[in-house]
Amino acid sequence: MSKHGRILVAMSGGIDSSLAAVMLHEQGYEVIGMTMKTWDYASSGGSKKETGCCSLDSINDARSIAVELGFPHYILDIREEFGDYVIDHFTGEYLEGRTPNPCVLCNTHIKWDALLKRADRLDCESIATGHYANMQFNDGRHYVSKGIDSWKDQSYVLWGVSQESLSRTKLPLGYLHKSEIREMARERGFIDLVNKAESYEICFVPDNDYRGFLKRRIPGLEAQVAGGNFVYEDGTVVGKHEGYPFYTVGQRKGLGIALGRPVFVTEVRKDTNEVVLGDLPDLFRDGMYVSKLNWQKYDGITKPLETVTKVRYKHDGTPALLIPDEPGKIKVHFHDGVNGIAPGQAAVFYEGDDVVGGGWIMKNFRQDKELF
């Protein structure tokens, strides 16, 4: 009989999830490891060698840790549900002129649900992952807070996890720095984990060529969208582009146009197949609408709330006022302009280190030219 009960640990084969399993095992939990296979690299058609969390090497690395420590390890094939939901959403968002975040979607709608279903079948009270974040419980609410390692903090990607799922989740790495995890692995003799390169690509676009992925995924797309105009905000046409789905807000490189100075994508217009270009100051917006909300620290808001809001993973966050709008949507007024607010990305709202909630960015605007 274990000291703390049975727990299902998501193991990608990397150092973080492996050490999460090791720590829980050492603390006296009855650990069961599970590696999720979300994608076949051969299906992507890309040029890069198979690496990352779905590769055979990563599955074997996770299994070897389990074998060495003497706990069970299983492989969970979720390719069908992953493809139907995450990849269809990924392609659909680009076709709508937005910039998707498939890793957030996968965490919140696929991996947690899949883990909890299998946890129930295996009589596991809890699940655990190797995310750098912390779990909190106050006033009847479960919520995520930032990990102590500010560089590795992953609270941003967990905003969409439900109350029920959070209530059964443990995040053992939240109070540790990455350097401490590496040292713990080294002390235990897991040198291969210490030396293993980390993967930051989208698992189903291992070569980081999302344009190529879209072209392979949607036959005939290039012909359908080619020939649109690059324009300035005032409507001046300055060139032709390959098609609006192949550009994202904030993009500077790979535009295929030379205007004598650095320019950035400031807007993608699906309906007219236009890509708007501008200088760096033209990227700044001080407002946005956010929908499909998930509240963590509070059960929603009924009056304006001051927060620090992040609009992408590595964004430090900007002070912003959340203003209730129609059901399922809020308006966000930033106190300073924010660079590159991309529709389709996640917005996450913080009070101090605590995740208040988050949602998907619908549209950005300038407060002096509010759109709705």
Side-chain angles (χ1 to χ4, degrees), residues 174-308:
Y175 291 102
L176 294 166
H177 288 82
K178 181 73 174 194
S179 58
E180 295 175 281
I181 294 297
R182 290 189 179 281
E183 184 58 32
M184 289 170 65
R186 189 176 289 110
E187 289 172 352
R188 287 156 178 78
F190 300 127
I191 304 304
D192 288 345
L193 282 179
V194 176
N195 295 329
K196 186 175 182 178
E198 295 192 70
S199 174
Y200 297 100
E201 309 95 351
I202 297 171
C203 66
F204 55 90
V205 192
D207 57 4
N208 275 333
D209 180 15
Y210 88 89
R211 291 183 179 186
F213 179 84
L214 289 177
K215 291 172 184 177
R216 293 187 295 272
R217 184 80 178 176
I218 309 169
L221 177 61
E222 289 175 273
Q224 295 172 33
V225 298
N229 291 326
F230 280 123
V231 300
Y232 289 145
E233 197 168 288
D234 65 4
T236 302
V237 176
V238 294
K240 294 288 184 181
H241 62 68
E242 295 181 19
Y244 75 89
F246 305 132
Y247 303 88
T248 63
V249 170
Q251 180 179 340
R252 179 175 68 87
K253 297 180 179 179
L255 297 178
I257 187 171
L259 296 173
R261 68 187 195 282
V263 292
F264 302 81
V265 175
T266 64
E267 186 182 351
V268 177
R269 297 173 178 169
K270 168 200 170 186
D271 292 342
T272 56
N273 196 12
E274 291 177 318
V275 175
V276 184
L277 302 178
D279 298 316
L280 181 60
D282 298 323
L283 266 178
F284 283 80
R285 301 288 189 272
D286 58 5
M288 64 183 179
Y289 285 94
V290 180
S291 66
K292 298 181 179 176
L293 304 165
N294 183 62
W295 297 103
Q296 287 198 1
K297 188 174 183 179
Y298 306 121
D299 187 16
I301 60 171
T302 57
K303 58 184 180 181
L305 178 69
E306 288 287 352
T307 65
V308 171

Side-chain angles (χ1 to χ4, degrees), residues 9-26 31-35 57-69 71 73 128-132 172-173 178 181-182 184-185 188 190-194 196:
V9 183
M11 299 180 67
S12 67
I15 188 171
D16 297 328
S17 60
S18 296
L19 263 291
V22 170
M23 289 169 60
L24 292 167
H25 177 75
E26 291 177 351
V31 171
I32 297 176
M34 183 161 284
T35 302
D57 284 346
S58 292
I59 292 170
N60 287 335
D61 288 344
R63 176 173 284 162
S64 69
I65 296 289
V67 169
E68 182 163 339
L69 295 180
F71 61 79
H73 174 267
T129 74
H131 287 92
Y132 285 86
L173 305 192
K178 181 73 174 194
I181 294 297
R182 290 189 179 281
M184 289 170 65
R188 287 156 178 78
F190 300 127
I191 304 304
D192 288 345
L193 282 179
V194 176
K196 186 175 182 178

Side-chain angles (χ1 to χ4, degrees), residues 79-205:
R79 286 174 292 180
E80 185 174 344
E81 51 206 289
F82 181 88
D84 289 345
Y85 196 89
V86 176
I87 297 174
D88 288 352
H89 178 271
F90 180 82
T91 55
E93 286 291 276
Y94 275 116
L95 293 178
E96 290 298 322
R98 296 189 286 261
T99 305
N101 191 324
C103 297
V104 171
L105 198 69
C106 180
N107 272 318
T108 58
H109 292 282
I110 300 296
K111 287 187 175 178
W112 250 259
D113 286 349
L115 278 173
L116 284 168
K117 284 180 186 175
R118 276 64 182 193
D120 288 339
R121 294 176 189 172
L122 294 166
D123 293 324
C124 295
E125 294 91 345
S126 305
I127 63 172
T129 74
H131 287 92
Y132 285 86
N134 286 300
M135 287 299 313
Q136 309 292 343
F137 180 72
N138 280 300
D139 295 327
R141 301 287 298 179
H142 298 271
Y143 55 94
V144 174
S145 65
K146 292 180 181 179
I148 195 171
D149 188 331
S150 58
W151 178 249
K152 289 296 295 182
D153 170 53
Q154 293 172 298
S155 58
Y156 172 87
V157 303
L158 302 179
W159 65 266
V161 183
S162 70
Q163 285 292 294
E164 180 182 0
S165 296
L166 290 174
S167 72
R168 298 178 62 187
T169 297
K170 296 188 182 301
L171 303 172
L173 305 192
Y175 291 102
L176 294 166
H177 288 82
K178 181 73 174 194
S179 58
E180 295 175 281
I181 294 297
R182 290 189 179 281
E183 184 58 32
M184 289 170 65
R186 189 176 289 110
E187 289 172 352
R188 287 156 178 78
F190 300 127
I191 304 304
D192 288 345
L193 282 179
V194 176
N195 295 329
K196 186 175 182 178
E198 295 192 70
S199 174
Y200 297 100
E201 309 95 351
I202 297 171
C203 66
F204 55 90
V205 192

